[in-house]
Amino acid sequence: MTQQDISCGLEYSLTPDIQECVSEALQANYSFIVTPLIHPRFRRPYLPHRIPAGGFTRSDMILSPQDWTNRIVARVSPYLTVDAPSPVVQKRHEYYLHEELLYCRGLGVPAVMISLNSKHNTNLARILQTYQETSNFPTLIWTCVPMFCKRTLRNSEDLEDNKCDVAYNETWYWWSRFHQNMNWDKRVGVVLEISADLPSNDIIKRWLGEPVKAIILPTHIFHNNKKGYPVLSRAHQQLVVSMVERDAQVIVSGARRSNIEYYLQYLFRLWQRRPADTPMFSFARGWEDYLQTPLQPLADNLDTHTYNVFEKDPIKYNQYQNAIVKALADLQKKNSCQHTLDKESLITNIKIEKGQGDSESDAKTPVTVMVLGAGRGPLVRATLNAAEMTNTEVKIIAVEKNPGAVVVLAAQVRELWCDRDVTVVPGDMRYMNLSPKADIIVSELLGSWADNELSPECLDGATCLLKPNGISIPCKYTSYVNPISSSRLWAAAKIACLGDSQKMEKNLETLWVVYMQNKHDIAECREVFKFSHPAEGIKNSEGETMLDYRGLPLTDNRRKTTVSWEVTQDNVMHGFAGYFDCALYGDEMLSIVPSTHSPGMISWFPVFIPIKTPLRIHKGDKIKATFWRCVDSRRVWYEWIVEVNDNATVLHNPNGRSSEMLL
Amino acid sequence: MTQQDISCGLEYSLTPDIQECVSEALQANYSFIVTPLIHPRFRRPYLPHRIPAGGFTRSDMILSPQDWTNRIVARVSPYLTVDAPSPVVQKRHEYYLHEELLYCRGLGVPAVMISLNSKHNTNLARILQTYQETSNFPTLIWTCVPMFCKRTLRNSEDLEDNKCDVAYNETWYWWSRFHQNMNWDKRVGVVLEISADLPSNDIIKRWLGEPVKAIILPTHIFHNNKKGYPVLSRAHQQLVVSMVERDAQVIVSGARRSNIEYYLQYLFRLWQRRPADTPMFSFARGWEDYLQTPLQPLADNLDTHTYNVFEKDPIKYNQYQNAIVKALADLQKKNSCQHTLDKESLITNIKIEKGQGDSESDAKTPVTVMVLGAGRGPLVRATLNAAEMTNTEVKIIAVEKNPGAVVVLAAQVRELWCDRDVTVVPGDMRYMNLSPKADIIVSELLGSWADNELSPECLDGATCLLKPNGISIPCKYTSYVNPISSSRLWAAAKIACLGDSQKMEKNLETLWVVYMQNKHDIAECREVFKFSHPAEGIKNSEGETMLDYRGLPLTDNRRKTTVSWEVTQDNVMHGFAGYFDCALYGDEMLSIVPSTHSPGMISWFPVFIPIKTPLRIHKGDKIKATFWRCVDSRRVWYEWIVEVNDNATVLHNPNGRSSEMLL
């Protein structure tokens, strides 16, 4: 939540005295009013070609400019139906609508509210796009739709569940098609008029994925509690909180059955009583649906601010420490077994060179732990802690390629870790040969989509640093996706500026890191790519692992995976949400997959993987997505394609033309 | 047809000696051969990571560079299935495919042929796009599909019609989805392997709309005639001619049941015996599917070459002349009636001012004919001819705004028409006041989509030049559209260069004038906008015509029309074909609507109206298209939107941002 409190407005269906209405609403602590622009006193001429001398509404002098630009949401006359079947009516209403829109532009109101009353809105979409095209300052368009379409029930005797679903589905279609006609313009939002009965959870969730700018609460859906104050049903309370969490404002509308202040006070209380924010939620405040290009820590060097943010994670390094503790403990166990075995063999073979042998085998060889990509040292710290906890002697080698971070590491070795065995080795882990080899390598090279910061390539390149049967922390990671609907993310990706304006296709062929808020999950998460370390090499026909020119196992980090889902609800697919999880060691995990998210961990936002043209999908459809991870000598990139029944998208990012990770 | 003859190739399934094959084929008059690239002697290793010392095929020294670049279509090894379920097979085949493609690039063969064997081709599409992205010189990709999928019939006992349709549909889907995955790339064409039995006409027509580069005729579909020569069935003959007319080449393939020369001789004869070209067909030769931006004769002045082309039309001015003849005849009839009436009234009212009256009423007042937009005079000529034919005295006023054309007109008045009453008036017909007023105005201001060169605005502006109840030739015109499938036109529009490279959206929001060849009509033509002249003015609530500041009737040339179609076949919609027809006078018509096309008229090619994202449509779907004609003080433009069931395109060309006609 960016706002600390609910922002509420009050709707007036008639404002004979607009000044008085604004005063009343502000006095009752409402932030704005929703009001028709046309003064009821002004009857408009039958024919638009004569301008009435009296103008068509009140003078704009009666409110201050600040009030117009801050306090007024202008509602277009609800009787205007520019998609009416009669061409005469249509043309007349077009003229009036145009007149009202131009008036709104002149007044500088922050938003114009327009109601959809049927599925026919193409002409409305056309007029509004012309309005936006010809405006210097874009006005927000608030498209008002009821949650429930009574009309679809008109012919049915009763409210069977089935029919109700149709009625709730209907109005979503009005909005969704209209928004599609507007090319998912992000200046166009929806205002949802809440009904007394609520639809199924699935339908509510779908609405939560739409850019809902406000919800209208008619006073008749409140009931009075014992003390006579207006309150909402539990289901309605939940809906309001979910909506406000996604930045929706609330508009109270309809006949006043109670003091108008009471509604607002109730809503404020409702908001204050909501469950506390999760750490991630607090951390992400202000970053909701804000797209960032993924980091390229291999090609670029991270800056100090980025390190600052990542080192703050309260959970991540804890998990690493636990994993290192377990790994050290297991090593100790193994070594002591080995030790016992050695001793036993010595005994059975009768003593040879006694005296020397005993003292040597009892002296502990320190465990060599290499921290690959040590940054400013958080994993060195975790290793030192783990060593203390397990009472292990460790020799730590911290490899880091970023000279800026090496400075910090070296300073810490001098000042903090002077009594410990920590060595800093500057350089790229892929092109290094160190001795002794490591018992354990520890790294944190994962991006939001697991391998997208090239962890596989880095760790494969560092294989020669690890003893045979050595331990890699992490040892396994997997990327995940699920198809989502989010016009907001899609529109944001479309117009995002990537510098090179020539390459228009770039934007929708790129992975974006983003804390997603305004999205709807069309289906559950599925695995995409899996990697494990040390990686298994490619085997030849005789079953032997093949080696490269440096004698390292030949690995193949290219991948191709096809994932599919059955769709359970009509929807519009705009792309995928991408996540990862990772096994550090044993059962110590890190996860940003929603269902298994490591509690409290804040280091990674998910990724948004857009598709070029949103796909309309229907209940029962099968979505089939294929992802490729491609590798050449210089870079790594993803390509993807989506098929829905017999339809398909184009191939995204062929040959990495729009986005790539440099090796 | 651009070529004078059929271009035929010969397929070899094995070429142990490629040199000999080329010689044999050329000697038999074939233009090229289709051959696998991989020499059968070279067995490829199980694992791709070892390069066999012997290379993987023959040396390229055995053919001349000219032969490689002109005579060889390289067929990729048919057993390569890069979309195989097994990842191991997939990777190995990817490697081989890559190897063969690079070899093709190295040899510079003009086309690479690849077979589709199932509906799973996304990985193939990915690899080929990478290949194209990384090539400096694009290779044509010939995608080979059978016309008929035997596999779909495997489980059915018999060949019921229904099942057959499925089998014929199946392979179209393979191709169509693959082409969609390739984003309808125009370097990717289809090669259709003709089956012994042919599908329904509807399915053949759909194939004619695809970019068929070649058809493969297996020798087993020929049968021997009485003399023992190979011939085709009537249906096959027709198919071959239709395909070759659309620039497809023919490949003879399979076991040689007859001398290989006989097949070619038969095909040549077949082509020579085809029906003669229509005048339009001859005229359009070389312009097939070539996109042009529509003329703007109002904003720009036409050049002498354009006049040259348009004046050559053998039909158009004939029709005009017929129309003027009828109009003059009707005027004579009306005038003589009037004359008689006048005389009768004179007689009944007893004679007043005798002597003068008689001689005046007998002397013929000349009929005033204004040619508006006279160009270099073809309509003046038609009017002079019509006057002679009806023995009418005419006074011709030729209005022309193009100074270049005025020069030619004035010269003709001096030199050719010196004994006739022809006056040239330079200037814009919309801002003129001439006297006497015209009995007839004749104009030719129509574009390929009727009003798209602003005829309505010009003629409305010239209303004051016409007598009340005067005649306008033309008196009525209508634009038409039908939805079409044409990946070729769509791909051409997408990459067409409109100068302003910033505005990527321009291309697919513009009308294109084009002689369409490679397209398939999804449904029949329907009316869009209608105009008539003199235009009826807008009436006020009392039923009186409203007037503008010049005292001319206020007209409204904005239009909005929704057209819909029921789809009878699965297909992909890429846009619309647009046409017009026009009533000159009485029943004299001009039409470029296919079903009523004026025979022999060549002045107009149709328009192609693209949609931004091709829509996949299914049998039973309803296509609903809405077109707007928008007008402001400076310009006129079209906007359009398409809805298919619950799906919709975006609005095209909002506010005329991409294309407009200047007033």
Side-chain angles (χ1 to χ4, degrees), chain A residues 156-180:
Chain A
S156 74
E157 300 293 319
D158 45 8
L159 295 172
E160 305 157 38
D161 274 10
N162 190 14
K163 299 268 170 178
C164 267
D165 261 12
V166 172
Y168 284 118
N169 234 352
E170 177 72 13
T171 59
W172 175 78
Y173 262 114
W174 297 356
W175 153 252
S176 174
R177 280 183 57 163
F178 171 75
H179 203 204
Q180 185 175 23

Side-chain angles (χ1 to χ4, degrees), chain A residues 204-257:
Chain A
I204 289 183
K205 274 195 198 148
R206 188 171 59 189
W207 275 119
L208 291 175
E210 299 291 346
V212 178
K213 296 299 173 192
I215 52 175
I216 297 181
L217 299 178
T219 50
H220 69 80
I221 70 168
F222 289 83
H223 52 267
N224 287 341
N225 67 5
K226 283 177 212 153
K227 291 184 189 157
Y229 291 108
V231 293
L232 288 170
S233 78
R234 205 171 195 86
H236 281 93
Q237 291 175 27
Q238 240 168 33
L239 177 64
V240 170
V241 170
S242 311
M243 285 292 182
V244 176
E245 278 181 346
R246 281 162 183 79
D247 276 355
Q249 311 194 51
V250 180
I251 297 165
V252 175
S253 139
R256 301 176 182 188
R257 300 159 177 232

Side-chain angles (χ1 to χ4, degrees), chain B residues 22 26 31 63-72 107-110:
Chain B
V22 171
L26 292 183
S31 322
L63 279 187
S64 72
Q66 289 75 19
D67 280 348
W68 284 118
T69 55
N70 289 312
R71 303 298 183 189
I72 307 291
L107 294 172
V109 296

